[in-house]
Each structure stands twice: as C-alpha cells, then as structure tokens.
Amino acid sequence: MSNVILMIFTGLSVGAVYFLLGSGLALIFGLMRVLTFAHGAYLTACAYAGWFVLRHSSLAAGPSVGTLLFALLVGVVVGGALAFLTERVLLRALYQRDHLDQLLVTAGLGFSLVALLNGIWGPDSRAVPTPPWFTRTTTEIFGAHIARGDFVLIGVAVLLLIALEAFLKHTRHGLVVRAGVENREMVRALGIDVRHSFTLIFTVGGAVAGLGGVLAALYANAVNTTIGDTYLLYAFIVLVVGGLGSLRGAAIAALAVGLLQQFTNFYVNPGLGEILSFILMGAMLLLRPEGVGGKKIRLI
C-alpha cells in the first residue's frame, strides 16, 4: 500500500512539472496559433538562472525559503523576458505567414540559446542546492514518506491552472485575445490593438516555462543543457494527448503521463513508462486526434 501511495504522489509531482511546460505551449498555441520550439530553451535558461541564485546563496548560509522564492521569481522574469523578446523581435512579422516559418525561427532560437548556455557552463550536470525541507523532510501518508517538494510541485501546478483560467475568463486581455483569435479584423475594427494582448500571452507562456524550469531543476537536484529538451518532449506529448490549446486537457494529460511512467517503471520495467508515453500519444492521434480536450481547437 505504501508503494502505491508513493508512486501516486511521485507521478503527480512529475505530471505537475510536465504541466508547467505543457500549459505554456497550450496557452500560446490555443490563443495565438503559434507552435514554438523554443520553450525547451526557455526552461533550460531559467533552470540555470535558478541554479545560479541557489548556488550563490548556498555559498553563504545555504538556501532558505526566501532564497527559493527569489530563485522562482528570477526564473519567471527570465522566461517572460525571453518570450517577450522572441515575440516582439522574431514572431510578430510571421503571424500571417506559414506555420513552418514560425517553427524554423523558434527552433533556431532554441538551438542557439542552448548552444550559448553550453558554451558558458559546459555540458556537465551541476548540482542544484535545495533547502533541506524540500527533499529531505517528508510527510507520512498511509506508511509512505512523501517529500515536501512533491506537495510544492503539485500545489504550484494547481494554482497555476486556476490562475490561467481566471485570467482568460475574467480579464480584459484574456477576453481580447480570445476574440482576436476568432476574428482579428473585427477586433481591430472596434479600435482594439490585439497585438499587445498577444505579446502578453506569449510573455505569460514564457514566464510559466521559467517557473517550470526552476522547479524541474529542484526536482532533479541537477541542471544541464539537455534538461529543456527532455521535458519538451513530454510537454508535446501532454499537448497532443490533452488537445492542442486545451489547458484542462493538458492538466489531465500531464497527470496521466506522470502516473503511467511511475507505475510502469516501478512495477514492470524501468524505462518502459517513457516508451508507453509515446505509444499513448500515437494512439491518441489515431483514435482521438482532438485529444481529451474534446475539440480540435480549444481556448480554455
């Protein structure tokens, strides 16, 4: 029983990390019809930014709760800034062009950014200092000892889902972007410049990736230049299984993929869970191409 509980919480925490990256992709694609390959590079850059903050704090008195929050804030700011510059400098002129142009530009940006990080810090993994309560302090639930960090990851993912849906439903920018996706010319005819709202959405997506990057580094206790590519693969699985542009679908898919991986790797064979994740994506594309979100394109 304790192993089952442990696998459930481990799967939920892994799924939470997948959702943090997949939700940014779902937000950007669902509202802007832009599929970006630079999201993994955002995650990598923000993971290094968080590691840099935590490393320098550990050289003094060790990472505290305040330092952890500051590292998360730095990750959010760096991710948002990278996304803002990407949208304003590279993507704004490509909205009316073929999606292939957007994919090529964002893929090239992602490769370049990762190469830059690799040139600065090298390809070797670097340990990420974490507060003792994050990984070593546990809570016992039905005999299973659950790390406090798992609760943090799950809680952040839940709060993020609530915040994003509230933003889209109850704020002016959310309503403007949703209307602009359906009929951009009509929105412009009403005197509303939808470009500013699109920039905000892209920036929010990058900030979410930044938050996920720092938390992914904390969860893995290490950071390297491949961390973004690794999580980007599973983020796309979450995006496809959940339904392109569906936040709730992405949340369901992230939990399903996380639980599938953990239970399969523990009870069947290590590594099989990752293979089954790709099989699940293929089956979803064949049997239900719109994903669990229920529509081919959803806004929330």
Side-chain angles (χ1 to χ4, degrees), residues 78-233:
V78 171
L82 289 172
F84 174 82
L85 293 174
T86 301
E87 197 277 339
R88 290 296 297 270
V89 177
L90 298 177
L91 290 178
R92 178 165 287 191
L94 301 178
Y95 285 147
Q96 304 302 324
R97 297 174 63 176
D98 189 80
H99 286 297
L100 181 60
D101 293 333
Q102 301 170 1
L103 292 179
L104 291 175
V105 167
T106 55
L109 173 64
F111 291 139
S112 300
L113 185 56
V114 170
L116 176 63
L117 295 171
N118 194 49
I120 296 174
W121 283 296
D124 296 333
S125 295
R126 297 174 181 269
V128 176
T130 56
W133 61 267
F134 192 87
T135 54
R136 288 175 235 159
T137 304
T138 60
T139 299
E140 184 174 350
I141 300 178
F142 296 110
H145 295 275
I146 312 299
R148 297 283 175 85
D150 291 350
F151 293 106
V152 172
L153 292 172
I154 296 169
V156 169
V158 171
L159 291 175
L160 178 65
L161 176 61
I162 295 172
L164 289 178
E165 292 207 338
F167 169 75
L168 294 176
K169 288 183 178 180
H170 303 296
T171 68
R172 179 180 180 277
H173 282 291
L175 296 174
V176 167
V177 172
R178 292 168 64 190
V181 169
E182 297 299 327
N183 194 328
R184 184 179 300 188
E185 296 304 321
M186 179 61 71
V187 173
R188 286 177 177 171
L190 295 174
I192 300 173
D193 189 355
V194 74
R195 293 178 302 174
H196 297 306
S197 296
F198 275 17
T199 300
L200 177 62
I201 290 297
F202 205 91
T203 301
V204 170
V208 171
L211 178 65
V214 179
L215 289 174
L218 287 168
Y219 183 79
N221 289 324
V223 62
N224 55 53
T225 54
T226 64
I227 186 172
D229 293 336
T230 301
Y231 281 105
L232 184 64
L233 287 174

Side-chain angles (χ1 to χ4, degrees), residues 283-297:
M284 185 64 71
L285 288 173
L286 290 173
L287 303 176
R288 189 180 173 87
E290 66 271 23
V292 298
K295 295 181 180 179
K296 290 187 178 181
I297 294 292

